[in-house]
Each structure stands twice: as C-alpha cells, then as structure tokens.
Amino acid sequence: AQSVTQLGSHVSVSEGALVLLRCNYSSSVPPYLFWYVQYPNQGLQLLLKYTSAATLVKGINGFEAEFKKSETSFHLTKPSAHMSDAAEYFCAVNNYGQNFVFGPGTRLSVLP
Amino acid sequence: KAGVTQTPRYLIKTRGQQVTLSCSPISGHRSVSWYQQTPGQGLQFLFEYFSETQRNKGNFPGRFSGRQFSNSRSEMNVSTLELGDSALYLCASSAGTGGGQPQHFGDGTRLSIL
C-alpha cells in the first residue's frame, strides 16, 4: 500500500528565506508524485507533478521539487518565501489504477 | 475552461438527516473523486467514479454513497448524519484514471452537523 509522510505539521520561515517542505513516500513501484497547495476556504490547487520525465520539476509560483528515488523523497522548495505563500501544502502519490494518497499536510507560515 | 464546481458551498444539518452534495467536473473529465477533509484526519478518500462506475472506494461506512451520471456530474449522499460527519467535502476531477493524471479540485462543500 502506498503512503506519504510529511515531516513537520507546521513550518515557519521569514519573508525572503528559503522554503523547504519535506515529503517521503512509500510505494512498491515508482509512483507519480504531486504537490498541492490549499488556501483558506478553498480547494487544493496543483503546484507541480513528477511523472518520470525529469527528476527536478518546476511548478507554479516559483516552487520546484526534486525526486530522489534512493531517498524515496520529493521535497518542495522555493528560494525566497513571499507572504502570499502562507498556506497548507500537501504531497500526494498515485499509481496506475489506484486512488490518490495524500500526506497529512504542512502548514507554512511566513513571518514579516 | 470552467473549473470543478461544487454545490452548495455551505450546509447545516442536524443529526439523523441525510444530505446530497453535487459536483460538476471540468468539461471532458470523466473521473470524479470525493474526499472528506477534517482537522484531525486530514484528507481521506471516499470513492472514485469513472464513466458512471465506482472504481475505488475508501474505508467509510455504507452511509456514504455516491453516483455518477452520463454527463460525468457526480453526487454523494450521506444518510443518518452524525456529528462526526462535519467536514469539508472535496470533489476532484481528472481526465482519466491513468497514473500521472493530476486531480483538479473544487472549493468544497462545508457540512456542519448540529
């Protein structure tokens, strides 16, 4: 069975600092991986996805993630945090014929 | 292209009642999934429909049911509501069921049980 862990339920960074949100997955076969963001009172919005074309994936709003098979990780980064990045972030895994499995989420706070 | 539309946005019910939530997927998308989101349990998968057939089902009691129509619109029904059913219910659509197809979410229906 697939599973996703996200280290840190809450991460705080200063505006302009590096954002690093961690995601590790467990899957018997190489999965497809996704990062989503959720703003208050809204649904989830796709940030980026990994589908084996390239290990470094660039997404929207300056975010990127790197797939590391040896570490079973797919960490999300952004070089410089902006106040508008404050939200909840979810990592998800999916394989053919199986439903999406989401991690518990990490709430990102950006301090002025 | 219009996004995923969920109606209603907010709903208040009392214990024992039943409720029906609606989801209109992105045009051309044939797969619709439903999730329950609560602060304590996070995002939990309810079920997925593709071409009017339920393909996957999560670990929820039989009080939770769904269906999909020929135009891909979907509804979920919860009967005999309990206080613990208070949650944000999210619908997501995708173009297919193959791995790698991203899901696109609606803004959800917030259900409160009194």
Side-chain angles (χ1 to χ4, degrees):
Chain A
Q2 301 173 121
S3 66
V4 178
T5 57
Q6 292 182 240
L7 186 63
S9 60
H10 184 204
V11 170
S12 291
V13 300
S14 297
E15 192 172 20
L18 171 72
V19 175
L20 170 61
L21 304 181
R22 300 178 188 275
C23 171
N24 288 86
Y25 68 90
S26 169
S27 177
S28 57
V29 297
Y32 300 100
L33 294 155
F34 306 80
W35 274 100
Y36 284 84
V37 61
Q38 185 179 32
Y39 299 100
N41 297 316
Q42 293 185 23
L44 279 67
Q45 179 184 358
L46 179 68
L47 274 177
L48 49 81
K49 65 177 183 178
Y50 167 74
T51 56
S52 78
T55 57
L56 184 61
V57 182
K58 294 188 184 301
I60 62 172
N61 301 340
F63 284 94
E64 62 182 36
E66 185 173 10
F67 173 67
K68 291 187 176 180
K69 184 178 178 181
S70 61
E71 299 177 6
T72 60
S73 69
F74 190 56
H75 302 331
L76 182 71
T77 60
K78 182 174 181 178
S80 176
H82 192 271
M83 297 296 288
S84 61
D85 295 327
E88 185 136 24
Y89 292 79
F90 293 90
C91 181
V93 63
N94 164 250
N95 266 311
Y96 183 82
Q98 299 180 19
N99 55 277
F100 271 64
V101 174
F102 285 85
T106 296
R107 184 161 60 92
L108 176 66
S109 297
V110 182
L111 308 175
Chain B
K1 202 180 229 186
V4 177
T5 303
Q6 291 188 245
T7 56
R9 286 296 313 276
Y10 302 92
L11 208 48
I12 299 174
K13 292 286 187 180
T14 57
R15 281 183 301 171
Q17 288 187 308
Q18 76 166 16
V19 67
T20 299
L21 311 182
S22 179
C23 172
S24 293
I26 291 172
S27 178
H29 284 191
R30 296 166 64 190
S31 172
V32 173
S33 297
W34 288 89
Y35 296 86
Q36 181 194 67
Q37 186 178 29
T38 59
Q41 299 296 319
L43 270 164
Q44 293 190 283
F45 172 74
L46 280 156
F47 25 66
E48 178 193 8
Y49 287 87
F50 181 79
S51 293
E52 302 178 68
T53 301
Q54 188 180 88
R55 293 190 69 254
N56 286 308
K57 188 176 189 304
N59 189 25
F60 277 81
R63 300 186 297 109
F64 292 81
S65 62
R67 59 178 176 169
Q68 186 180 34
F69 302 95
S70 58
N71 62 358
S72 294
R73 190 178 71 84
S74 178
E75 290 181 346
M76 68 163 280
N77 184 275
V78 188
S79 63
T80 320
L81 287 165
E82 301 177 359
L83 292 178
D85 297 334
S86 293
L88 180 67
Y89 289 88
L90 292 165
C91 167
S93 75
S94 63
T97 59
Q101 295 275 4
Q103 292 190 332
H104 301 270
F105 285 79
D107 284 338
T109 294
R110 185 165 296 280
L111 176 63
S112 299
I113 311 302
L114 304 179

